[in-house]
Amino acid sequence: MGLSTENSFLQQLFDHGLLIPSSVPGVYGRSGIFENIVLGLEEAITRLGRDNKTEVMRFPPVITRATTEQSGYLQSFPHLLGAVHAFTGNHREHRVMLEEVEAQQDWGHHFTATDVVMTPAACYPVYASAANTTLPEGGRLVDVSSYCFRHEPSTDPARMQSFRMREFVRIANPESVQQWRDQWTTRGLDFLLSLGLPAVQAPANDPFFGPGGRFLAASQQEQELKFELLAPVSTEEPTTAIMSLNYHQDHFGKDFSIHTADGQVAHTACTGFGLERITLGLLRAHGLDVAAWPAEVSGKLWQ
Amino acid sequence: MGLSTENSFLQQLFDHGLLIPSSVPGVYGRSGIFENIVLGLEEAITRLGRDNKTEVMRFPPVITRATTEQSGYLQSFPHLLGAVHAFTGNHREHRVMLEEVEAQQDWGHHFTATDVVMTPAACYPVYASAANTTLPEGGRLVDVSSYCFRHEPSTDPARMQSFRMREFVRIANPESVQQWRDQWTTRGLDFLLSLGLPAVQAPANDPFFGPGGRFLAASQQEQELKFELLAPVSTEEPTTAIMSLNYHQDHFGKDFSIHTADGQVAHTACTGFGLERITLGLLRAHGLDVAAWPAEVSGKLWQ
């Protein structure tokens, strides 16, 4: 393959018509072939993680501003958030704005905050929809997916600004949640290996903002709250997180006031699949000619 | 059914677990059952409109700011656009922002424009990707889809702020484009009728902004550039556009400098399917219990 650097990999994806370039790094169209891999992956993930009690939820790429405030995202990751702003001026202000557009000046200052922001991770709207509720006996398991946005322009094809995240979310008492998260570590790794991805597990932390961020990251690692499954995507080494396993303890249960049937604050955990990243990992592992992929991989994706 | 007003329809969709409410009007989660209808619809649309020359493109819910400037969207529909803004301050500014969040003040002013805006209609990135090119003989046909955003908060379930639009886009010489658009008027109506939707065709115009908007709308109607296929969604009357057929003449060909093989400015047309609106129309026509839908409708969606 000779895919040595992240840039040449991106260029090859463009050249083979798998991704469609735009003038902004990290914002790409997907071809029918790329999407067919994503579709096969989605179905394989369904077979892997869904049981007859799983609730299926799909959310648009925006969540309410209130959810962002309530979840602590603004405290921890303000630098990654995309907020949706709108123009609410009259036709006079409109004329001024158009003159600025014409003069290639910044016209963003004519836009003010709306009630929504870009969804930063697929599971946030799940907690918001469960706010102020008591869980059924045994807790809940949700299969959720959405386009997510993170403001981090990059030419690394694995670091898109707009990408899809599929997740399973467990909301229950602490023991059930921990047990579920532990099960997924093996299950997730086996899944990736079965697709021919040379994946490895590694302790991880979220990219917390500011001077306090280093402490939060260290604490998250020390408590083993986050694991990632890494595979070769950006480079030929397994350095890119294509799945993550997160135990939030009572963080979201407290923020959104979710309680178990016996009155405890609920604990939560989630297993996230980076759909574009896994797809890119498959393309790097098995080549850009999808018709020539090994039969055992195709068979797992397109049954 | 007795679904008399738009609000009671929305409430029934929540009560049946088909949509998941949020605190913002027009921003809803979708249940597995709702998504299964959308999926069946997507496949039926593929069978209806795709041939062996069709290019398939899928785009994320954001496009570049440059595309918005170039396409004239800011001139015509500034009031509907969602622009993505981000926080690029240091930890001192972050502290000030968090104090404002805490005090329930507006914190949006800490965010400034990024290079992307929310996709307002699925076909814009297609024109951007074809910019400065010459078409192959016979022109191009593109099957495109994405989440779209329009800033128009409403409790009408048919007027979501974040929704999916599937489109076929024809880019070619004027004669080919007009012929293609005319074919779709019958084909689209037949498709909707075959799904048991009492659809009707009507001349239409886009919601142009400002004092000049009335003139542009009248001119668009007079030249028969836009038709909509209406069905009962918001009310029991066929007043909601669930498909639209648009002939843009050389508007996008000029803006994005797209030329035909023989050197003319390319013309474009598109056929748009409002995936949530058609789904809601089906739910209104055939009832909220999808398992009890007529066999000829289910058979068309889930082959």
Side-chain angles (χ1 to χ4, degrees):
Chain A
M1 296 276 303
L3 305 169
S4 53
T5 73
E6 60 187 52
N7 274 332
S8 79
F9 186 34
L10 183 61
Q11 191 55 53
Q12 288 186 50
L13 293 162
F14 292 153
D15 293 345
H16 279 73
L18 288 157
L19 292 181
I20 302 160
S22 84
S23 62
V24 173
V27 177
Y28 312 117
R30 284 82 164 144
S31 72
I33 295 174
F34 190 97
E35 283 301 292
N36 203 36
I37 305 172
V38 174
L39 217 69
L41 203 50
E42 289 263 35
E43 284 170 11
I45 294 169
T46 297
R47 289 189 293 272
L48 180 73
R50 208 185 276 179
D51 65 23
N52 59 8
K53 283 185 179 168
T54 310
E55 301 165 62
V56 179
M57 296 183 179
R58 295 291 179 263
F59 288 94
V62 292
I63 59 170
T64 71
R65 186 166 278 260
T67 298
T68 315
E69 293 169 355
Q70 209 169 347
S71 64
Y73 197 86
L74 278 171
Q75 279 75 22
S76 298
F77 315 109
H79 55 307
L80 296 176
L81 186 66
V84 180
H85 286 217
F87 175 75
T88 55
N90 61 22
H91 68 272
R92 225 181 302 269
E93 286 161 86
H94 184 225
R95 209 156 42 214
V96 173
M97 179 168 78
L98 289 186
E99 283 163 12
E100 293 173 7
V101 173
E102 192 63 34
Q104 302 194 296
Q105 291 167 349
D106 169 54
W107 44 271
H109 60 97
H110 293 286
F111 280 58
T112 52
T114 68
D115 286 339
V116 296
V117 302
M118 307 295 286
T119 308
C123 55
Y124 283 95
V126 174
Y127 311 127
S129 77
N132 307 311
T133 63
T134 297
L135 300 173
E137 202 68 50
R140 295 173 65 181
L141 175 63
V142 180
D143 170 348
V144 66
S145 179
S146 78
Y147 253 101
C148 298
F149 181 87
R150 292 187 187 169
H151 183 243
E152 41 181 2
S154 165
T155 54
D156 177 357
R159 196 165 292 282
M160 294 188 187
Q161 294 198 68
S162 188
F163 58 93
R164 277 160 292 185
M165 194 188 291
R166 173 88 176 263
E167 293 191 44
F168 292 102
V169 181
R170 185 84 171 100
I171 315 177
N173 63 42
E175 301 72 38
S176 305
V177 169
Q178 283 166 38
Q179 194 183 19
W180 181 86
R181 204 275 300 251
D182 292 345
Q183 275 177 355
W184 262 104
T185 315
T186 322
R187 191 190 282 177
L189 200 57
D190 287 349
F191 174 68
L192 297 176
L193 293 172
S194 80
L195 293 173
L197 296 170
V200 295
Q201 184 191 320
N205 58 262
D206 290 307
F208 295 100
F209 179 80
R214 191 184 291 254
F215 168 76
L216 290 170
S219 158
Q220 194 182 23
Q221 285 228 10
E222 193 180 285
Q223 293 180 79
E224 301 189 338
L225 299 180
K226 187 179 185 78
F227 289 99
E228 288 175 343
L229 303 182
L230 310 173
V233 184
S234 307
T235 70
E236 289 186 41
E237 299 304 311
T239 54
T240 304
I242 59 175
M243 279 187 64
S244 77
L245 305 152
N246 306 281
Y247 176 34
H248 319 113
Q249 298 174 305
D250 63 359
H251 176 74
F252 293 117
K254 262 188 191 156
D255 283 346
F256 291 96
S257 190
I258 310 169
H259 289 87
T260 60
D262 61 356
Q264 294 175 274
V265 172
H267 279 222
T268 63
C270 67
T271 303
F273 300 78
L275 296 180
E276 278 80 4
R277 286 188 174 183
I278 300 177
T279 300
L280 293 171
L282 289 166
L283 287 164
R284 188 180 268 280
H286 307 305
L288 302 185
D289 178 7
V290 178
W293 281 11
E296 61 270 28
V297 174
S298 314
K300 288 228 159 50
L301 293 174
W302 303 291
Q303 288 194 347
Chain B
M1 294 280 304
L3 306 170
S4 53
T5 73
E6 60 187 53
N7 274 331
S8 78
F9 185 35
L10 183 61
Q11 192 55 53
Q12 287 185 52
L13 292 162
F14 292 152
D15 293 346
H16 279 73
L18 288 157
L19 292 181
I20 303 159
S22 84
S23 61
V24 173
V27 177
Y28 312 117
R30 285 80 163 145
S31 73
I33 294 174
F34 190 97
E35 283 300 293
N36 203 35
I37 305 172
V38 174
L39 216 69
L41 203 49
E42 289 263 34
E43 285 170 9
I45 294 169
T46 296
R47 289 189 293 270
L48 180 72
R50 208 184 276 179
D51 65 23
N52 59 9
K53 284 185 180 168
T54 310
E55 300 165 63
V56 179
M57 296 183 178
R58 295 291 179 261
F59 288 94
V62 292
I63 59 172
T64 71
R65 184 166 280 259
T67 299
T68 317
E69 293 168 356
Q70 209 168 348
S71 64
Y73 197 87
L74 278 171
Q75 280 73 21
S76 299
F77 315 109
H79 55 305
L80 297 175
L81 186 66
V84 180
H85 285 216
F87 174 76
T88 56
N90 61 21
H91 69 271
R92 226 180 302 267
E93 286 161 85
H94 184 225
R95 208 156 46 214
V96 174
M97 179 169 80
L98 289 186
E99 282 164 13
E100 292 173 8
V101 173
E102 192 63 36
Q104 301 194 299
Q105 292 166 349
D106 169 52
W107 44 271
H109 61 98
H110 292 285
F111 280 58
T112 52
T114 69
D115 287 338
V116 296
V117 302
M118 309 293 287
T119 308
C123 54
Y124 283 96
V126 175
Y127 310 127
S129 77
N132 309 311
T133 63
T134 298
L135 300 174
E137 202 68 49
R140 295 172 65 180
L141 176 63
V142 180
D143 169 349
V144 66
S145 178
S146 78
Y147 252 103
C148 299
F149 181 86
R150 293 188 186 167
H151 184 242
E152 41 181 2
S154 164
T155 55
D156 176 358
R159 198 165 289 282
M160 295 188 187
Q161 294 198 69
S162 188
F163 58 94
R164 274 160 295 185
M165 194 189 292
R166 171 88 175 263
E167 294 191 44
F168 291 103
V169 181
R170 185 85 172 101
I171 316 179
N173 64 40
E175 302 70 39
S176 305
V177 169
Q178 282 165 38
Q179 195 182 17
W180 181 85
R181 204 274 301 253
D182 291 345
Q183 275 176 354
W184 262 104
T185 315
T186 322
R187 192 191 282 178
L189 199 58
D190 286 350
F191 174 67
L192 297 176
L193 293 173
S194 80
L195 293 173
L197 295 170
V200 295
Q201 184 192 319
N205 59 264
D206 289 308
F208 294 100
F209 179 78
R214 191 185 291 255
F215 169 77
L216 290 170
S219 158
Q220 194 182 24
Q221 285 227 9
E222 194 180 283
Q223 295 180 78
E224 300 189 339
L225 299 180
K226 188 181 184 77
F227 290 99
E228 288 175 343
L229 303 181
L230 310 172
V233 184
S234 306
T235 69
E236 289 186 44
E237 300 304 314
T239 54
T240 303
I242 60 175
M243 277 187 67
S244 77
L245 304 153
N246 307 280
Y247 176 34
H248 319 113
Q249 300 173 305
D250 63 0
H251 175 75
F252 293 117
K254 264 189 191 155
D255 283 349
F256 290 96
S257 190
I258 310 168
H259 290 86
T260 60
D262 60 356
Q264 293 177 273
V265 172
H267 279 222
T268 62
C270 67
T271 303
F273 300 78
L275 295 179
E276 277 81 3
R277 285 188 175 183
I278 301 178
T279 300
L280 293 172
L282 289 166
L283 288 164
R284 187 180 270 280
H286 306 305
L288 302 184
D289 178 7
V290 178
W293 280 11
E296 61 270 28
V297 174
S298 314
K300 287 229 161 49
L301 294 174
W302 302 290
Q303 288 194 347

